[in-house]
Amino acid sequence: MPRSTAPIPRQESSQNLSAQSARSYEGRGSPANPSAARRSRPINRKRGEAGAKGDIDGLLADVADNVIATVARAGFRIEGKQAFRAFLTNLFQNYPTRQELGRQVTYRVYQEGNVVVVNSYTDQTFIDKNGRMSTMMQRNSQTWVKTAGRWLLVDQHNSGMPGAPYTP
C-alpha cells in the first residue's frame, strides 16, 4: 500500500510499512533529470518510516490536500487528504502488522524536473488484529508535483496484479 519516497536496495527489499502509500524504494531517475528523482526519494523514505511506526500524520505530511488515491484494498477512489487519512486510520487499526516487498521501481521526470512519476510492484502481507494473514500483489504508481518548492503526492494508484492470488 505505496503504502511518499524511501530508498531501498534497487530491485527488492522488505520493510514493515503502512498501507499502499508508504513506500521505501530506490529506483532509477530519468536520464533527462536524475537529480529530481534523487531529491524525491527521501520523501518516500520518510513516509515509509512513518508508516512503519503507524504515524499517519508523518505519512500524510507530503500529500496534497486534493490527492486522489485509488487503492486496491479500498476498491474505490479516495478523494482528498482527509478521506485518505480516514482510510489509513481504519487500515492501521484493522491490520496492526503490515509488511511490503517492493521491486522494479522506476522514476520518470517531466516538466523540467517538477513532476516525478514513480512506478513499482509490491508484495503485501498484512496481519489483522485477530492474527489472520492477508496477502496481495500490486502494481503501483505515484505522481509527485513540486509546488512552491515542495514535493507533494497528488495521485496514487494501486491495483491488484491480474491472476495473482489475493487473500483478503
Side-chain angles (χ1 to χ4, degrees):
M1 282 209 53
R3 48 285 8 354
S4 304
T5 313
I8 284 183
R10 187 160 264 147
Q11 280 297 327
E12 46 188 80
S13 180
S14 175
Q15 286 197 20
N16 185 20
L17 299 177
S18 76
Q20 75 289 334
S21 55
R23 303 279 188 252
S24 295
Y25 310 129
E26 180 150 338
R28 294 181 207 127
S30 162
N33 193 339
S35 65
R38 276 194 304 274
R39 286 190 301 267
S40 68
R41 288 184 197 141
I43 300 168
N44 270 338
R45 179 179 322 124
K46 182 175 70 172
R47 292 185 75 227
E49 291 166 0
K53 293 186 269 183
D55 175 9
I56 292 172
D57 290 333
L59 187 58
L60 295 175
D62 298 301
V63 172
D65 289 339
N66 64 346
V67 67
I68 298 292
T70 305
V71 181
R73 288 186 183 267
F76 54 88
R77 184 176 62 230
I78 299 168
E79 297 184 18
K81 191 173 190 173
Q82 291 311 314
F84 202 11
R85 177 183 303 281
F87 168 78
L88 291 172
T89 299
N90 183 55
L91 184 78
F92 285 17
Q93 288 171 351
N94 288 316
Y95 294 97
T97 303
R98 300 165 307 278
Q99 187 172 44
E100 297 181 335
L101 173 64
R103 55 183 85 222
Q104 289 182 301
V105 181
T106 60
Y107 292 80
R108 292 174 292 137
V109 179
Y110 301 94
Q111 297 296 315
E112 299 176 12
N114 293 309
V115 175
V116 175
V117 176
V118 183
N119 298 105
S120 64
Y121 296 97
T122 305
D123 295 334
Q124 292 181 332
T125 302
F126 288 6
I127 300 175
D128 71 16
K129 53 190 168 188
N130 297 318
R132 191 178 62 156
M133 185 169 56
S134 169
T135 61
M136 177 183 270
M137 294 174 63
Q138 293 189 92
R139 299 174 288 197
N140 313 294
S141 65
Q142 295 178 327
T143 303
W144 291 85
V145 176
K146 190 173 184 180
T147 305
R150 183 172 173 219
W151 286 102
L152 294 174
L153 178 65
V154 298
D155 189 85
Q156 177 168 313
H157 183 99
N158 304 355
S159 59
M161 291 287 291
Y166 170 55
T167 56

